[in-house]
Amino acid sequence: MADFSVVIAEDEKLIRNGIMKSIDWKALNAEVAGLAKNGIEAIKLINEHSPDILLTDVKMAGGNGLDLIKNAKIHYPDLKIVIISGFNSFEYAQQAIKLGVKDYILKPIDIEKLSKIIENLVEEIELERTERKDIEKFENFYNENRQLLLNELFRDLMFGVISGQEIEEKFKLCNYENRNCSYIPMILYTEIKNPIEWGSLKSELVKAFNAVLEKWQLKIECLFLLPNEVFYTDITFVLSSTESGREFNKMIPDIKSAIEQLSEVTLLAIGYGEIADRMEDLSFSYQMARTHAMFSMISGLNSKDSSADSSEFGLPMNIYETTRLLHDIFEQRDGPRFAEFFITIEKEIADETVDLTQKRTILRNLFVCVLSAGDELGIPVREFFPDLMALFRYINLKTITELSTKIKWACETIISQQQTRQERAGKDLMEKAKSFIIDNHSDPLLSLETVSSHLSLTPAYFSKLYKTAHGVSYIETLTKLRLEKAVGYLINNPEMKISAISAHVGYSSPSYFNYIFKKNFGIAPKDYRGEYKQE
C-alpha cells in the first residue's frame, strides 16, 4: 500500500483513465484512490478516502471545478490541488491562485510534466508530515517538562533573582497565561520518615491536597522540595486564587488533616506569606512565609500535636519589625547597635517578675527574627542551633539563660561572619561557584541547593549573588555548559545514542534533554547531528 493517495476528477473518461494508467504511481509511492467524472462524485471520494492530492478539471459536466476546489479546501485545508484545463485563461489562473491551488497544467497533458508535479507534491507532503511529527514530539516534551520550567521560574521569583521585563519574557516562554490571579507562597516544614522518591512524594502530596484545593478554590502553580540536613525538609508551594480577601489562617486545619493522611510525612510547621497580586511581590511574600514557618515550628502553634485554635496561626507583627532591625544590624555589621538592642532582652530575662512562659516567648520570637534576618542575608543560621529543639522542650531557668547566651553568641557570630563574607563575596566567591558547577555539571543531582551549600550560603542569597556577578542565573550557566558538552558528543561521537549523551551531560530524562536542546538550538539533537554530517 502506497503512503500517498490521489483522486482524479475529469469528465472525459479517456483523459482520466489515461492519467491513471500513464503515470508510474509505484515509483512515486502513491496510488489512485478513485476516479470521478464530476465535482459531486469527487467530493464523495474525497470524504471517503481523505486523499493527499486532487487532480481536477476546471469545467466539468455536473459541477464546476472551482466550486469543487472551494468546497474541498474548506474541509481539507492540507489537500494539494492541481488543475487540469483545456483553457489557457488568465482569469482561471488568478482564481486558482486565490484558492491555494499548487499547480496548473494545460491539455493536452504532458505526462512527464504531470509526474514531476506529483513527485514534487509528494516530497512537500512528506516534509510536512515529518515537521508535524517533530512538532508533536516537541509539544510532548514541552507538556512533560513545562512544569519543571515553571518551578524554576517561580523559585527565581521568590528568591528575587528576576524582575520586570525578564519576568514577562520567561512566562511567555513557558506559555503561562494564568496572570489575573493572586499568589501566595506556602511552606511546610516536615520530617520525611522513610526514603521516598521525590516524584512519588509529590504525587502523594497533590493527591492529599486535592480536596483542600477544591474547597478553597485554589490551584498549585508550583511545588518543590528543599532538603535541610539540620532540621527538616522544606516543601514549598505557590498557590493561586482568582478570588481576593482569603483568610489563609482558616485553611491551616484542613492542610494539617491532609498531611496526616501521608504515612511518610510528619508535619512540623506551616507558614504562608502575604497575598501577592504582582509577580514582583512574591519575593517579599516568600520571605514572610519562611519567617512564619520558623515561628510556627518553634512555637508549636501548627505542629501535628498542636490543639491551637485557627485564630492563633498568625504571626505577631513585631516579629517583622525586629527582623528588619536585626537584618540592618547584621548587614551593617553594627556591633554596638546590637549590644544596645540585646541589653533590653537581657534585662527582661533577668527580671524575676517576668514568668518563665513570657521569657520563653521573648526568646522564641527573638530566635525566629535571628533565623529570618540571617536567611535574608544568605547565612545558614540554623546550623548554629543543632540542639535548639531540645532546649525549648525542657524549658527551665537554666535553659532560659543558656538560650539567651546562645542566641547572643549566634548574633555576634553572624556580625563577624558578615564582615568576612562581604570581604570575600562577589566575583571571587562566584568564580568559585562557577568552577564547582563546571566540575560537577554531569551530576544529575547537581542543584541550586548543592552549590549554595558548598559555599555556605542560602539558595536565595546565592542566586542573587551569582546573577549579579555573572549576569545570568545559575540554571542558565548550567544549561549552557551541559548543551555545549552535548554538542561535542553529537559531533565527535556519531555512534553515541542520544540517551547516553543525555546521561553524560547530567540529564537523567532524555525527553527533558531533547526539549531543552530544541528550545536552545531550534532542532532536536538527532537532527543537529544529521545537519553536521551533511556539512
Side-chain angles (χ1 to χ4, degrees):
M1 184 176 178
D3 291 332
F4 305 94
S5 60
V6 180
V7 164
I8 302 170
E10 166 61 56
D11 60 351
E12 295 185 41
K13 184 176 181 181
L14 186 64
I15 295 176
R16 65 174 178 266
N17 287 340
I19 293 171
M20 182 180 68
K21 293 175 180 177
S22 300
I23 291 175
D24 186 353
W25 298 105
K26 188 174 181 181
L28 296 171
N29 191 18
E31 63 184 1
V32 175
L35 301 174
K37 63 177 178 288
N38 55 49
I40 296 170
E41 287 185 8
I43 205 69
K44 286 181 180 178
L45 287 171
I46 291 169
N47 289 333
E48 184 180 346
H49 298 285
S50 299
D52 300 293
I53 299 170
L54 169 65
L55 306 180
T56 180
D57 195 354
V58 175
K59 288 192 172 182
M60 295 182 289
N64 184 290
L66 292 178
D67 291 336
L68 166 63
I69 293 167
K70 288 176 189 176
N71 194 348
K73 272 294 185 181
I74 289 170
H75 297 97
Y76 303 92
D78 293 333
L79 181 65
K80 311 301 179 192
I81 300 174
V82 178
I83 285 180
I84 302 167
S85 177
F87 300 91
N88 188 5
S89 168
F90 179 71
E91 183 185 347
Y92 277 131
Q94 276 189 317
Q95 290 184 61
I97 290 169
K98 286 179 182 178
L99 292 171
V101 169
K102 300 301 292 186
D103 219 321
Y104 193 106
I105 189 166
L106 292 172
K107 299 176 183 177
I109 297 169
D110 182 334
I111 291 297
E112 188 176 337
K113 184 179 178 182
L114 181 58
S115 295
K116 187 62 181 176
I117 290 171
I118 295 170
E119 182 183 352
N120 291 338
L121 289 178
V122 164
E123 288 179 3
E124 185 178 329
I125 296 165
E126 201 163 27
L127 182 61
E128 286 176 359
R129 287 181 181 179
T130 302
E131 287 176 349
R132 196 153 39 236
K133 285 180 182 177
D134 284 346
I135 290 169
E136 287 172 2
K137 285 182 183 178
F138 180 73
E139 286 175 347
N140 289 336
F141 295 147
Y142 179 81
N143 292 331
E144 286 173 16
N145 299 291
R146 177 173 175 269
Q147 192 58 52
L148 292 174
L149 297 175
L150 277 175
N151 284 352
E152 290 173 2
L153 177 52
F154 272 104
R155 184 161 66 175
D156 283 348
L157 280 166
M158 288 188 286
F159 288 177
V161 176
I162 59 172
S163 60
Q165 185 60 32
E166 195 174 1
I167 294 175
E168 296 302 321
E169 289 172 0
K170 294 205 171 185
F171 273 117
K172 187 176 180 181
L173 182 66
C174 293
N175 195 27
Y176 182 80
E177 298 176 351
N178 192 27
R179 303 296 300 274
N180 299 320
C181 293
S182 298
Y183 303 89
I184 185 162
M186 178 168 289
I187 296 173
L188 310 181
Y189 286 162
T190 63
E191 285 181 343
I192 309 299
K193 298 174 187 176
N194 301 306
I196 181 171
E197 194 266 328
W198 168 232
S200 300
L201 176 59
K202 181 179 176 180
S203 297
E204 291 297 315
L205 280 167
V206 172
K207 184 178 178 182
F209 270 63
N210 276 339
V212 179
L213 296 173
E214 187 175 344
K215 176 180 176 180
W216 291 88
Q217 294 181 298
L218 296 168
K219 179 184 174 185
I220 296 175
E221 296 296 340
C222 79
L223 168 59
F224 56 87
L225 175 145
L226 298 173
N228 185 298
E229 294 178 358
V230 181
F231 285 158
Y232 43 75
T233 296
D234 165 346
I235 299 172
T236 300
F237 295 80
V238 175
L239 303 173
S240 66
S241 172
T242 53
E243 296 184 22
S244 57
R246 291 229 176 259
E247 296 180 73
F248 280 92
N249 60 319
K250 293 181 179 179
M251 187 174 66
I252 302 296
D254 290 339
I255 292 176
K256 288 175 63 180
S257 298
I259 292 293
E260 285 170 6
Q261 299 174 32
L262 304 177
S263 58
E264 302 89 351
V265 178
T266 298
L267 180 65
L268 301 177
I270 302 172
Y272 55 86
E274 284 187 342
I275 294 173
D277 293 320
R278 300 185 318 135
M279 292 294 181
E280 289 86 345
D281 297 333
L282 267 174
S283 179
F284 175 78
S285 183
Y286 172 66
Q287 195 58 46
M288 187 179 286
R290 289 181 65 81
T291 302
H292 187 194
M294 292 173 191
F295 172 80
S296 301
M297 182 173 67
I298 293 167
S299 65
L301 286 182
N302 57 26
S303 65
K304 190 171 181 177
D305 300 325
S306 170
S307 59
D309 185 84
S310 65
S311 62
E312 297 178 294
F313 290 134
L315 184 62
M317 286 310 297
N318 67 328
I319 291 279
Y320 293 121
E321 295 165 10
T322 307
T323 298
R324 298 319 307 165
L325 173 65
L326 286 172
H327 178 279
D328 292 344
I329 288 172
F330 295 160
E331 188 173 44
Q332 296 163 17
R333 312 183 307 280
D334 195 340
R337 190 179 174 194
F338 171 72
E340 183 182 340
F341 162 78
F342 208 78
I343 285 172
T344 59
I345 303 292
E346 290 177 321
K347 282 182 179 178
E348 288 201 67
I349 297 305
D351 190 342
E352 294 182 0
T353 63
V354 178
D355 64 26
L356 285 179
T357 302
Q358 190 172 345
K359 290 177 182 180
R360 180 181 183 275
T361 300
I362 291 168
L363 291 177
R364 178 198 66 199
N365 290 1
L366 177 60
F367 177 69
V368 170
C369 295
V370 173
L371 288 177
S372 298
D375 260 7
E376 283 190 61
L377 290 168
I379 302 168
V381 185
R382 282 165 292 196
E383 294 177 5
F384 298 159
F385 301 95
D387 58 344
L388 173 78
M389 304 317 288
L391 289 172
F392 274 114
R393 200 172 292 120
Y394 304 106
I395 197 74
N396 54 46
L397 188 58
K398 181 180 177 183
T399 55
I400 284 285
T401 306
E402 188 177 346
L403 274 174
S404 174
T405 302
K406 188 152 192 176
I407 290 172
K408 182 180 181 181
W409 164 81
C411 292
E412 290 171 343
T413 303
I414 290 169
I415 292 170
S416 173
Q417 280 200 2
Q418 186 67 1
Q419 170 74 46
T420 306
R421 289 168 74 250
Q422 286 195 349
E423 287 172 356
R424 70 187 180 93
K427 289 272 183 185
D428 290 345
L429 189 60
M430 291 305 99
E431 284 301 328
K432 183 180 177 183
K434 197 168 185 178
S435 296
F436 184 80
I437 294 167
I438 290 170
D439 292 341
N440 296 275
H441 75 276
S442 60
D443 181 357
L445 298 179
L446 183 68
S447 66
L448 179 69
E449 293 70 41
T450 310
V451 183
S452 57
S453 175
H454 175 71
L455 301 169
S456 298
L457 301 173
T458 60
Y461 189 69
F462 164 70
S463 292
K464 290 178 183 177
L465 275 183
Y466 194 91
K467 183 75 176 284
T468 301
H470 296 296
V472 293
S473 67
Y474 149 78
I475 194 65
E476 287 171 326
T477 297
L478 180 60
T479 301
K480 184 182 178 194
L481 180 63
R482 284 175 168 173
L483 292 183
E484 285 174 351
K485 297 287 184 181
V487 166
Y489 284 123
L490 287 168
I491 294 171
N492 300 319
N493 298 271
E495 303 304 318
M496 192 173 184
K497 291 184 177 179
I498 302 298
S499 58
I501 293 174
S502 169
H504 269 70
V505 299
Y507 290 106
S508 55
S509 166
S511 66
Y512 186 57
F513 167 65
N514 271 276
Y515 172 74
I516 292 294
F517 194 97
K518 188 160 187 176
K519 185 164 75 77
N520 281 269
F521 292 103
I523 56 175
K526 65 179 179 64
D527 297 325
Y528 186 97
R529 174 183 270 166
E531 284 193 3
Y532 182 81
K533 282 181 180 178
Q534 289 176 7
E535 291 175 5

